[in-house]
Amino acid sequence: SMVKLRAFDLKTTDPEQLMVAVRHPDWIRIPQGGAVMIIEERSAPEGPVVQRDEIVFERIEGAREPAGLASERRNGTTLSVFAVAPGDADRVRSVQRRLGARRSQDASRASGSLSVSVKGCRVGPVPEGPVPVSTFLAAGEFDGFVPLLRDFDLKAAMREAGAPVEDTIASCDAAAVDGD
């Protein structure tokens, strides 16, 4: 994955081909708007964030869902696929122009980061044992999806982050369940 990810360049990637997929237990729901790409820029590697952009991804289903993920389906899981919302593609292009302009300036000390945040909730109780979650990224630079994390234990990570043992993964409210 790391070799393939080296080809990815946020400054030049086609936002209309940018997608994220999450394989999660079928008792977890990811609401619309629950997948967000966060781009942060700093004037120096350890300096404060000088620019932060959040790009909302929208769930895609049916004919738009890429076939390249078929081998990632597992019993008892859901494969949720998200793409940059059509209205946000222009925002991504605006960020790309700004990053390109910054590259041409003296940006030797500037740094940045890109992350994808996916928020979800549970329907019913959290079963005993690990809660495996896998994430994948697709972009014009790749042939299909590239794994970012495979079978990451969400329960262990939530507990490590301070979530209570009895409610490690928050319960969905009625709107999140109905909106799925």
Side-chain angles (χ1 to χ4, degrees):
S1 292
M2 293 304 289
V3 172
K4 290 181 181 180
L5 286 171
R6 290 181 62 173
F8 178 75
D9 187 350
L10 178 62
K11 293 182 279 301
T12 58
T13 197
D14 180 356
E16 294 175 11
Q17 294 185 45
L18 196 55
M19 290 185 277
V20 173
V22 182
R23 184 179 61 220
H24 54 86
D26 55 14
W27 49 267
I28 290 179
R29 302 290 184 269
I30 301 172
Q32 194 65 295
V36 178
M37 181 172 64
I38 301 161
I39 304 159
E40 293 184 337
E41 298 173 58
R42 300 173 189 281
S43 57
E46 301 301 320
V49 173
V50 295
Q51 180 75 40
R52 185 175 201 270
D53 296 282
E54 291 188 11
I55 308 298
V56 177
F57 283 66
E58 70 178 6
R59 184 183 316 274
I60 60 173
E61 297 178 37
R64 285 189 59 203
E65 184 176 316
L69 287 170
S71 65
E72 295 297 337
R73 296 198 181 279
R74 307 278 187 277
N75 285 335
T77 68
T78 298
L79 196 57
S80 299
V81 182
F82 303 88
V84 174
D88 275 348
D90 286 337
R91 287 190 58 222
V92 174
R93 288 184 186 96
S94 175
V95 169
Q96 290 174 319
R97 285 190 295 276
R98 188 179 71 238
L99 293 174
R102 186 154 293 152
R103 178 193 295 175
S104 64
Q105 300 168 356
D106 180 21
S108 59
R109 293 189 38 82
S111 68
S113 65
L114 179 142
S115 61
V116 176
S117 170
V118 181
K119 296 179 182 175
C121 56
R122 67 176 165 81
V123 178
V126 176
E128 292 297 320
V131 177
V133 175
S134 298
T135 57
F136 309 87
L137 178 70
E141 294 88 343
F142 311 142
D143 181 29
F145 281 82
V146 174
L148 298 175
L149 291 172
R150 281 200 185 273
D151 298 324
F152 173 78
D153 186 356
L154 179 62
K155 184 191 293 182
M158 295 296 292
R159 287 184 177 163
E160 193 173 300
V165 172
E166 64 279 354
D167 196 23
T168 305
I169 299 169
S171 178
C172 296
D173 62 15
V177 173
D178 294 340
D180 187 22

